[in-house]
Amino acid sequence: MDGQDLETTDVVVCGCGPTGALLAAYLGQMSVSTVVLEKEADITTDPRGIALDEDGIRLLQGADLYDSIYTEIGTCMYNFNFISGTQKDLDAAPFLSMDYGTTSGGTGHVGFICHKQPTLEKNLRRKLEDCSFCDLRPQSTVVEIEEDAHWTYCTYTDAHGKERRLRARFLVGADGKTGFTRKEYLEPKGVHMERAHDCFYEETWVALNWHITPPTPETHPDFPLWQLGYTPTEVYDLFFPENFRFLCNPERPAVCGRFGLPDDRLWRFEFVVRHGEDPNEMAKRDMIKRVVFPYITHQGDKYGLSHEIQFPEDCIHVIRSRPFRFSARSCNVWAKDRVILCGDSAHVFPPFGGQGIASGFRDAASLAWRLALLCRYHSPESESYKTVLESWYQERKQQLDQSLASTIRNGQFVTEAHPLKILHRSWYYWLVQLVPRWKREMQLGRRKDGLVRYSHLSGMPFVPDLNGGLNVPQVYCRDMSGEVHFTDDVIFRKRDKGLFRMFVYLKNSAEIGTAREVLDDVEVWSNGEIIADQTPFIVEDVAKKDGIIPGKNPVYQVATAEEFAASPLCTRRPAPACYDKYQLGDRVGGRFVIVRPDRFIFAACRGKEDLRRAIDRMLEALQH
């Protein structure tokens, strides 16, 4: 196919939802020219996903958006309260409360934030607008995709209705589960959604978003709580309390809680549609009043009154009330030749684990550096992309299967209807919580199991016998002036050359001189991929008497929870709890640690011999 009259770029991304936008932002950081085609004119104002786990927060940090997370995007979700029984009482004592306000997961971040998706997308798009390598084109509708041995070709109509054509090394479909890339192009080629191993789930739920305006004595003078001295803010907190609730009601399971910033006063309620019910009817006002309003109606005796108190209906603005078919499925393959699926295009999640956007983010971060590798180190004629892309989705499927299994278990937990199983569950959690250590482990949930580790398969880019494949922990550190940083930010500082990064982890500063001697040959060995003088040293104990040499490798000391809490990085987020400042050193297993851009260890080396071998393997991975 003649490409002389075509506009050419490295990567075309179809879809600028959270996954597509994050992918483009990471590609831009790696100087990969990217065109993003988005069929909508503007960001949707309807919040869809509302939960983002600590991996997702970490990857927003990697996109240089940390400063916006707690000021614009969202708030820590703190506790997940699981409430049993058929009572419609959000204040009922939970039989289990899981604490996601801690930093026990190994990323340095809280377990979850509840975010406002339109604001999340707006901040990601700002990054694209500021990047010279990214070109976002709204109102662009893909109408055809073609390929030959070396290129993909995309035909689309632009904002003016004009048909245009793009040629790219790769095309990524991040256009959702009903998007053009999979439905129209790849499904005829044998790519399809299938049951995700034993994680099959199909149910219809209604998802409802409300914006709440608290009543006041002026707007609602007859509201009975004024006479008891309650303020409008206190009334809001009573009827829409903090923390997320999983309502394990055997008659109709539901999930509810606040999302966005506190001042946004947004509330999500999701409930299951039972067999025989019409999903569209269940989303209408009359059924919402029947299902949801009992939860915002309090018994009068709670306040010493003789009648029920319902939160005023006219203080509720309905943003969304729609049925959704929730599934747990994944595509059989995520890449076919040069066309790739990412995020919801490749897999879909039910709502119980807050994993939808986070999994798309993981896809994007792990795919971006591989596309950069292929565009930077390989010619269009090379077929090395097949191995690179296959190893990408094999790795991602390992983590996806874990997330799906955890999500399904959560769903089964919430939707259990068998009386004996419910009784067993209640007694089990009551007994476990009698032992403080067991109770704390249970509260930390799956986070106590630590970070993901990939099992090595042929072609995967890490060295398994040098601790490769482990998601590298992130802790806090401080430079020699006392300023506190995240370790990711000192390891992945911006520079032009090299995809992989290296850092040196030492127990004390007396080891710095010896470690620097090992680095003398690294630049030559790595053909300049690793810059020795730019490799940071992260040290547990720095003593002034050891004489750190200025102007060479930057040196950082591992920081305490208290030092982080006193820094600007902790503004509007909880102070670290369950934080282990030694976790990075305990887990990496070597002094000289080569890290992939997706925050996974390539190799952790104890000395010069291991390091030389790891660098050779790194060059093989880059050059194939």
Side-chain angles (χ1 to χ4, degrees), residues 582-594:
Y582 298 116
Q583 181 173 202
L584 178 60
D586 291 343
R587 296 296 302 276
V588 295
R591 281 184 166 190
F592 307 93
V593 187
I594 300 174

Side-chain angles (χ1 to χ4, degrees), residues 516-538:
R516 279 185 173 153
E517 292 175 5
V518 175
L519 297 183
D520 286 345
D521 297 321
V522 161
E523 228 164 296
V524 175
W525 292 346
S526 69
N527 296 332
E529 290 293 326
I530 293 173
I531 309 300
D533 284 353
Q534 293 181 11
T535 298
F537 284 69
I538 300 172

Side-chain angles (χ1 to χ4, degrees), residues 311-446:
F311 189 84
E313 186 177 352
D314 61 350
C315 291
I316 298 169
H317 170 63
V318 179
I319 301 172
R320 150 186 285 200
S321 183
R322 291 176 56 191
F324 283 89
R325 187 71 175 170
F326 289 125
S327 304
R329 293 181 294 160
S330 173
C331 281
N332 54 330
V333 295
W334 296 8
K336 187 79 170 176
D337 297 325
R338 295 178 179 271
V339 177
I340 306 156
L341 296 174
C342 202
D344 285 352
S345 300
H347 46 75
V348 290
F349 276 80
F352 306 111
Q355 290 296 301
I357 292 178
S359 287
F361 278 7
R362 294 184 194 105
D363 293 349
S366 58
L367 176 61
W369 74 267
R370 287 170 162 94
L371 293 178
L373 179 156
L374 292 169
C375 291
R376 188 182 295 182
Y377 297 90
H378 300 256
S379 69
E381 291 75 23
S382 170
E383 293 198 356
S384 54
Y385 69 88
K386 294 179 180 178
T387 301
V388 172
L389 295 179
E390 183 178 356
S391 72
W392 163 68
Y393 67 76
Q394 285 181 340
E395 277 190 357
R396 284 293 303 122
K397 279 194 169 188
Q398 289 185 27
Q399 189 171 19
L400 185 86
D401 288 346
Q402 294 178 29
S403 297
L404 277 171
S406 175
T407 298
I408 293 302
R409 285 194 298 271
N410 289 347
Q412 292 169 339
F413 194 76
V414 173
T415 60
E416 182 58 67
H418 194 285
L420 289 179
K421 291 183 179 179
I422 292 172
L423 180 64
H424 177 269
R425 179 186 68 193
S426 298
W427 275 101
Y428 171 78
Y429 284 104
W430 180 79
L431 287 170
V432 166
Q433 293 180 77
L434 294 177
V435 180
R437 181 173 63 84
W438 293 355
K439 179 179 179 179
R440 190 56 182 154
E441 287 182 358
M442 186 173 61
Q443 287 175 330
L444 295 177
R446 63 182 178 84

Side-chain angles (χ1 to χ4, degrees), residues 60 168 185 197 209 245 411 436 439 466 501 503 513 570 575 593:
L60 284 180
Y185 183 69
H197 298 282
N209 290 336
R245 282 157 175 78
K439 179 179 179 179
L466 294 178
R501 294 289 189 271
F503 68 93
C570 200
V593 187

